[in-house]
Amino acid sequence: MPHTTTSSTSIADRRWVLFRCCGLFTHYRPIPGSTALVCTRSGGYEGCGRVIQPSEFPEAAHGDEVTIHDGILKYGIDSAATFTHSHQGEFGWPRTFTARELDRYLAEICAWQSFQIEAVLLEAARNRECHHESGYGLKTRIVRG
């Protein structure tokens, strides 16, 4: 069964991110007639074939949720969770955002692609901290809490 921790956040309020398997364009989908999930590429194509059971689903941080949402294994970040975003040499930083605000900031201001945003949000949500370095050498740090 999916893991849920205590939170008053509804499913619609969460910021959902995909659990990736073997690459940027893979995720886990349920196997029809089974409780297991299999690695699948975008568009419904076969992935690497890795199969996971519900007992292998990653644990969620406090207030977050791991579940099958819209037919895909996803991690739901509590809407009340905050993330502090900082990067080297920037005046007026660090700044604190909710997951949705940080998502919007990284997409609209920093021009990150969705797969990059999902990866750092997931890492910061689960591990409490994430470091990212752009191709231009800009170092970004995101800390949960």
Side-chain angles (χ1 to χ4, degrees):
M1 292 302 295
H3 303 283
T4 305
T5 59
T6 306
S7 172
S8 60
T9 303
S10 74
I11 287 177
D13 291 337
R14 294 186 184 280
R15 172 53 174 98
W16 292 98
V17 294
L18 297 176
F19 271 107
R20 305 280 180 197
C21 177
C22 58
L24 292 176
F25 303 105
T26 61
H27 50 271
Y28 291 101
R29 286 196 175 273
I31 298 172
S34 172
T35 59
L37 285 84
V38 66
C39 175
T40 307
R41 289 188 326 191
S42 298
Y45 298 102
E46 282 188 31
C48 70
R50 179 170 182 228
V51 174
I52 61 170
Q53 300 295 329
S55 61
E56 298 174 89
F57 289 2
E59 290 293 324
H62 179 77
D64 294 348
E65 178 179 4
V66 175
T67 192
I68 298 170
H69 183 261
D70 294 335
I72 300 172
L73 182 63
K74 293 185 180 181
Y75 190 92
I77 302 170
D78 187 346
S79 65
T82 58
F83 296 85
T84 301
H85 173 267
S86 59
H87 43 104
Q88 68 188 55
E90 288 292 322
F91 179 75
W93 292 91
R95 291 185 51 196
T96 301
F97 301 93
T98 66
R100 286 189 183 279
E101 291 167 342
L102 182 56
D103 180 323
R104 192 169 32 254
Y105 172 81
L106 293 173
E108 295 175 5
I109 304 301
C110 299
W112 285 21
Q113 294 182 11
S114 63
F115 69 86
Q116 294 171 304
I117 296 168
E118 287 199 355
V120 298
L121 280 175
L122 179 60
E123 184 177 338
R126 293 187 65 217
N127 301 328
R128 315 249 5 108
E129 186 169 356
C130 176
H131 295 267
H132 176 271
E133 185 169 350
S134 74
Y136 301 105
L138 179 64
K139 295 176 182 176
T140 300
R141 180 175 180 237
I142 299 171
V143 178
R144 182 173 184 166

